[in-house]
Amino acid sequence: MANNNDDEYNQFLQTHQLQLIFNNIPRHLYRRLYEKMKNEIFDSGSYFQLCPIDDDDELEKPYNPERRYYVSTLRDVVLDPEKDENAIFLIDHAWTYRIKDARNDLYSISNLYERMTSLMNINSDLKEDGIELILQRMWKFNQSYTLTSTQIDPQLDTEVAQEPYWYIMDELGSSIRHSDTNANVYCTSFFFEPTQTMFTLLYPIVRIEQPYSEIFRNFVYDNSSTLDRNIKLLPWQRVNYRKKVLRSLTIEHCPEIFTKKLQNNTEIFEECHKNDLYDRSTILIEPTKFDKDHILKVYTDQDLIKQYLTDQHYQLIDNYGQADIIFLKKQIQDFRFETLHNTLINQFPFENIITNKELLALVSRRWKSLYSSSAVENDPYIDSHESPPWLPTTFVLTYELPQFAVYFQYREDQKIDNTWIVKPINLTRSIDVSVTNLIDTVIRLPESGSKIACKYVSTPVLLKIPDIEGGEVKFDVRYILLLRSIRPLKLYVHKIFWLRIANKPFSMKQLDNS
């Protein structure tokens, strides 16, 4: 029996090695952590308690005004992160969701609404108003983790995609307050593969020995600049403090924040294709000419192409080096002529400058300095930002979070529409896309992956559809382009295109349903 336990434990160490190292979990806690997750041992009640917050409490008062309780140790508890092998605890999750499902969850999951209003200290006579407050306030409690599509469904035969989830810890975990200077525990999410369960782990980072010691954590562990860190902490600050901070950073008071032109930072572009191999000098290639009876050899890893490419002029082969056409789902990194010769491929060097939303936004912003007239913009922030008139104002939140936050406050003070669409830089099918007018939401969304924030088009051209109640809906037209050559530039447009029409009338009232 002991051997079986040791085998299972060793398998746990092997399977979860990256998580254990990434989360800096002390090695002497590994076995007890395994035992607690395997047997779902939630023993934090023997070590910690919830205490009501005193209105006169001045410690860390600017933070967490929505919290009704704080967490402290019990009287005789001593937690030593260096020696105590039991000093790691599981915190349960009260609510796990995807942003697009949050509103419906609050209506449909039994007792969830009541639990969230109690946890977030919300008093509302109407459930609809209470739900709106929860959707606003949840960003002060949210935590995030990401699963791959294969983790969600191991049988799924599609390209691996990242699926972000947000969650709110139980009452104990959600009552832990922030401290810049007094943090004594660390909290992190941990995926236990044998049961496919996500836990939050809590463990001390300093020795805790005083009776009834309050438990603090640091909401923003970040090695970035002090300014970036202060902006990331704003969701937990009182609104008046947030406005004061951002109004002190305006373009008039701190112009140096807005003088750096991110689109000229070549390191960002180089990082994205640092592993690519390509010809350093231009090689002029004469296209190969085939007679009409020639059979083109095709190498592909796409099942759909293998299934439907049945024309007699093509032959599917398994040898990459003998192909006339290479059509791959995975990214090609070796674009050298000595490797590809005259082979036709479905990718081109540095294509992520167009397909990556972050890089596309930065390249587009170069347009203004190259082609724009000297006409003065009405908006000093857009003029400083160098956004061309055809591109909605776009901030790369990895590098421009302070600039976004200041501009958001400026628009709020000017009473200008402040609705933004926040997109992951490299996901498809609208995964992890959010529309919001809440600054807390935009600041915290990058925790689930790199994001850009674009000014949302709040007055779009609409299509009137008599069969849809409310009538006017959003639409777009989808074309397929074939890039045949970059130099000289040759593009082909497929004669068949698609008109895509929304199935709900356009409204700016419920932005999570846009």
Side-chain angles (χ1 to χ4, degrees), residues 70-83:
Y70 68 90
V71 179
S72 83
T73 57
L74 295 175
R75 178 177 179 179
D76 298 322
V77 167
V78 175
L79 294 173
D80 189 334
E82 302 295 332
K83 300 177 182 178

Side-chain angles (χ1 to χ4, degrees), residues 279-322:
D279 297 303
R280 300 294 171 176
S281 58
T282 301
I283 297 177
L284 296 177
I285 302 173
E286 291 293 330
T288 303
K289 295 182 179 180
F290 300 105
D291 61 57
K292 62 180 182 179
D293 296 323
H294 181 79
I295 297 177
L296 294 168
K297 297 177 180 178
V298 180
Y299 177 88
T300 184
D301 59 359
Q302 294 267 20
D303 290 337
L304 286 175
I305 295 178
K306 292 177 181 179
Q307 182 177 354
Y308 292 107
L309 187 61
T310 57
D311 188 282
Q312 61 182 356
H313 293 92
Y314 301 93
Q315 175 188 355
L316 293 170
I317 63 171
D318 296 325
N319 191 323
Y320 185 96
Q322 296 179 356

Side-chain angles (χ1 to χ4, degrees), residues 97-129:
Y97 64 95
R98 291 177 293 188
I99 295 174
K100 64 180 181 180
D101 301 326
R103 183 183 298 272
N104 184 61
D105 285 357
L106 291 165
Y107 278 111
S108 61
I109 297 177
S110 177
N111 298 322
L112 177 63
Y113 170 77
E114 290 76 13
R115 189 175 185 184
M116 289 299 109
T117 53
S118 175
L119 188 148
M120 298 181 189
N121 199 16
I122 290 172
N123 297 305
S124 178
D125 295 331
L126 298 175
K127 187 170 184 177
E128 290 77 7
D129 294 341

Side-chain angles (χ1 to χ4, degrees), residues 130-170:
I131 286 176
E132 292 300 330
L133 286 171
I134 291 171
L135 294 175
Q136 294 175 27
R137 200 167 287 185
M138 66 188 187
W139 294 100
K140 302 178 187 299
F141 296 85
N142 267 337
Q143 313 292 311
S144 180
Y145 61 82
T146 298
L147 297 178
T148 65
S149 53
T150 52
Q151 284 177 301
I152 299 168
D153 183 356
Q155 305 302 318
L156 200 61
D157 185 23
T158 61
E159 187 175 357
V160 175
Q162 303 291 321
E163 185 78 8
Y165 285 82
W166 294 86
Y167 68 93
I168 292 175
M169 292 185 284
D170 65 13

Side-chain angles (χ1 to χ4, degrees), residues 226-243:
T226 301
L227 177 59
D228 277 15
R229 190 174 188 280
N230 290 341
I231 298 298
K232 289 177 181 179
L233 281 169
L234 289 180
W236 294 280
Q237 300 275 14
R238 298 183 184 274
V239 173
N240 289 338
Y241 179 83
R242 183 256 289 178
K243 292 181 178 182

Side-chain angles (χ1 to χ4, degrees), residues 400-438:
E400 298 178 308
L401 184 60
Q403 289 87 336
F404 165 80
V406 173
Y407 185 51
F408 184 99
Q409 186 61 53
Y410 166 78
R411 293 183 68 94
E412 183 179 282
D413 291 341
Q414 297 294 319
K415 295 181 171 55
I416 306 171
D417 177 73
N418 222 355
T419 308
W420 296 80
I421 182 167
V422 184
K423 308 176 184 180
I425 63 174
N426 208 22
L427 290 180
T428 60
R429 304 190 302 278
S430 298
I431 294 175
D432 203 19
V433 172
S434 300
V435 179
T436 183
N437 54 17
L438 300 173

